[in-house]
């Protein structure tokens, strides 16, 4: 289990290795944001549980209200625990994530089975406040705690053949009772191009609201890709595979006309059954306009230069 302890304040430059520090500053500049309070400390382990000692302050801040923690923890999509919005909260209470391992395979030098602790411990946890826009036209603003996915992927030394990264959720119908029904072709699968996976906005998240990741939000580790529809942000990951060809993804397999591989938030490309122009922020009464690439176009639009986003939806 990952426990996030209370952190303390310390100057960023004192504790961050210089290359990382410089990269982070570049990133903050690119993102057009200023870091908030900065908190850092190493990971530590006690009583068999992994503790996230502390985390870096906001690399990305938003001038928008953060969604109430209770709402973000009780209005969820996690079909492994049922299809109702409150099912994940209610039906994941006994789900345990001790001794979690992640199998890394495919086009990389360092494949193998990694304990979660071994995989994430060399990295510093950062807080990232991101918009999350579900394809169902609701949205939230969530303070995630996570590690840039790219840093973790680099540690596996991908080969030049690695063009995509595929992710898999745990498949265990006893522990995840929603998998006893064939709502989807289990396990839940997702994928990114290697450029999307390496982009500094993409994180593997181990917590939210300053705490360990709740089961219903994808404990112990999930993906967060803020410019894509929420279903790309796969929960409870047990497999990471570097592939040469585009991997299969769950929602695309279920309904390819409705859900493409890219699934970038795009108000100009409607879902076949509803408009994507507007969204309801959880907690708001009125809808608001959906932003191109969920408001992250300055950072990520260049990933799609020359690609017709209406065709590659
Ligand atoms: N991951 C898995 N394994 N199973 C799921 O059903 N739902 C997706 C995504 N990740 C899902 C998943 C969808 S549709 C959304 S909108 C987000 O998780 C919701 O994340 P949240 O419940 O933490 O807000």
């Amino acid at each position: 289990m990952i426990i996030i302890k209370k952190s303390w304040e310390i100057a960023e430059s004192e504790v961050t290795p210089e290359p990382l520090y410089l990269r982070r500053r570049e990133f903050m500049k690119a993102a057009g944001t200023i870091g908030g309070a900065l908190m850092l400390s190493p990971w530590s382990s006690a009583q068999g549980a992994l503790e996230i000692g502390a985390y870096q302050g906001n690399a990305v801040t938003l001038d928008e209200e953060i969604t109430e923690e209770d709402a973000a923890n009780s209005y969820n999509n996690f079909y492994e625990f049922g299809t109702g919005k409150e099912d994940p909260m209610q039906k994941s209470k006994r789900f345990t994530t001790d001794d979690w391992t992640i199998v890394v395979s495919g086009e990389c030098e360092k494949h193998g089975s990694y304990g979660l602790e071994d995989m994430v411990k060399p990295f510093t946890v950062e807080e990232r406040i991101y918009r999350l826009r579900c394809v169902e036209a609701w949205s939230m603003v969530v303070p995630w705690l996570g590690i840039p996915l790219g840093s973790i992927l680099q540690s596996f030394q991908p080969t030049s053949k690695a063009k995509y990264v595929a992710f898999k959720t745990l498949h265990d119908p006893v522990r995840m009772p929603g998998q006893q029904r064939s709502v989807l072709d289990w396990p839940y699968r997702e994928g990114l191009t290697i450029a999307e996976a390496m982009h500094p906005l993409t994180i593997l998240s181990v917590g939210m609201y300053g705490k360990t990741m709740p089961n219903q939000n994808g404990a112990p580790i999930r993906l967060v890709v803020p410019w894509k529809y929420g279903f790309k942000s796969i929960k409870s990951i047990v497999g990471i595979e570097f592939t040469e060809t585009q991997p299969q993804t769950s929602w695309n397999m279920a309904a390819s006309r409705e859900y493409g591989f890219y699934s970038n938030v795009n108000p100009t490309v409607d879902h076949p059954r509803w408009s994507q122009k507007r969204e309801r922020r959880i907690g708001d009464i009125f809808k608001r306009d959906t932003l191109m690439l969920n408001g992250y176009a300055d950072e990520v639009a260049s990933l799609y230069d020359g690609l017709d986003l209406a065709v590659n939806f």
Side-chain angles (χ1 to χ4, degrees):
M1 187 161 98
I2 294 184
I3 299 164
I4 295 166
K5 275 203 309 191
K6 203 163 164 38
S7 49
W8 60 90
E9 262 187 277
I10 186 164
E12 174 187 30
S13 53
E14 282 171 39
V15 287
T16 314
E18 194 174 79
L20 193 73
Y21 173 62
L22 292 176
R23 248 189 290 128
R24 209 177 91 74
R25 296 231 65 101
E26 269 167 35
F27 171 64
M28 282 161 55
K29 225 170 87 194
T33 53
I34 304 161
L38 295 162
M39 299 166 282
L40 276 182
S41 89
W43 296 73
S44 60
S45 193
Q47 291 156 2
L50 177 68
E51 296 180 351
I52 302 170
Y55 48 87
Q56 232 164 237
N58 310 333
V60 179
T61 53
L62 288 178
D63 191 16
E64 289 169 35
E65 222 171 294
I66 291 177
T67 298
E68 293 281 340
E69 185 180 353
D70 280 356
N73 293 346
S74 62
Y75 187 91
N76 299 103
N77 278 334
F78 199 174
Y79 279 16
E80 284 82 343
F81 294 102
T83 51
K85 289 287 180 277
E86 294 187 1
D87 283 343
M89 172 193 58
Q90 286 165 355
K91 298 180 179 167
S92 70
K93 288 195 169 74
R94 283 179 313 189
F95 182 62
T96 55
T97 59
D98 296 343
D99 303 320
W100 194 266
T101 54
I102 298 171
V103 174
V104 177
S105 60
E107 294 296 342
C108 68
E109 301 295 339
K110 298 199 160 173
H111 22 78
S113 185
Y114 292 82
L116 176 65
E117 182 167 341
D118 295 335
M119 196 173 112
V120 298
K121 243 180 150 178
F123 304 97
T124 301
V125 176
E126 299 174 29
E127 180 168 78
R128 300 280 182 94
I129 300 173
Y130 285 160
R131 299 177 198 93
L132 174 84
R133 167 58 157 89
C134 180
V135 74
E136 298 164 339
W138 53 264
S139 64
M140 296 191 187
V141 173
V142 178
W144 303 104
L145 296 178
I147 297 154
L149 173 65
S151 309
I152 295 183
L153 294 184
Q154 291 292 7
S155 72
F156 304 130
Q157 299 179 8
T159 69
S160 58
K161 285 186 180 167
K163 302 281 187 274
Y164 297 87
V165 188
F167 302 87
K168 229 170 34 184
T169 295
L170 176 71
H171 188 198
D172 187 337
V174 175
R175 290 163 70 197
M176 295 181 143
Q179 290 176 337
Q180 289 164 19
R181 292 173 53 212
S182 9
V183 189
L184 288 169
D185 184 358
W186 310 111
Y188 195 100
R189 275 158 273 190
E190 259 310 333
L192 298 171
T193 66
I194 195 86
E196 294 171 333
M198 294 294 179
H199 192 278
L201 282 177
T202 307
I203 59 167
L204 278 178
S205 180
V206 291
M208 56 200 290
Y209 297 86
K211 299 173 191 154
T212 305
M213 186 66 75
N215 286 342
Q216 60 269 37
N217 294 91
I221 188 161
R222 69 174 289 175
L223 189 67
V224 178
V225 197
W227 70 94
K228 292 181 178 282
Y229 290 119
F231 67 86
K232 299 294 284 184
S233 293
I234 180 173
K235 298 177 172 183
S236 305
I237 295 169
V238 293
I240 298 178
E241 183 183 4
F242 295 91
T243 65
E244 207 173 348
T245 53
Q246 189 173 297
Q248 286 194 309
T249 57
S250 287
W251 281 105
N252 181 253
M253 287 158 71
S256 58
R257 276 189 59 251
E258 304 193 2
Y259 309 103
F261 176 78
Y262 287 94
S263 300
N264 291 318
V265 175
N266 189 339
T268 70
V269 177
D270 287 339
H271 186 280
R273 290 183 282 132
W274 60 84
S275 165
Q276 293 292 24
K277 284 189 181 54
R278 293 170 69 73
E279 67 196 52
R280 191 173 74 84
R281 184 67 50 85
I282 299 302
D284 286 0
I285 296 167
F286 299 109
K287 287 190 171 183
R288 63 177 66 207
D289 288 343
T290 287
L291 305 172
M292 187 60 182
L293 294 163
N294 207 21
Y296 302 98
D298 286 352
E299 289 85 30
V300 300
S302 63
L303 292 174
Y304 309 105
D305 281 348
L307 201 68
D308 183 342
L309 296 180
V311 178
N312 299 280
F313 59 90

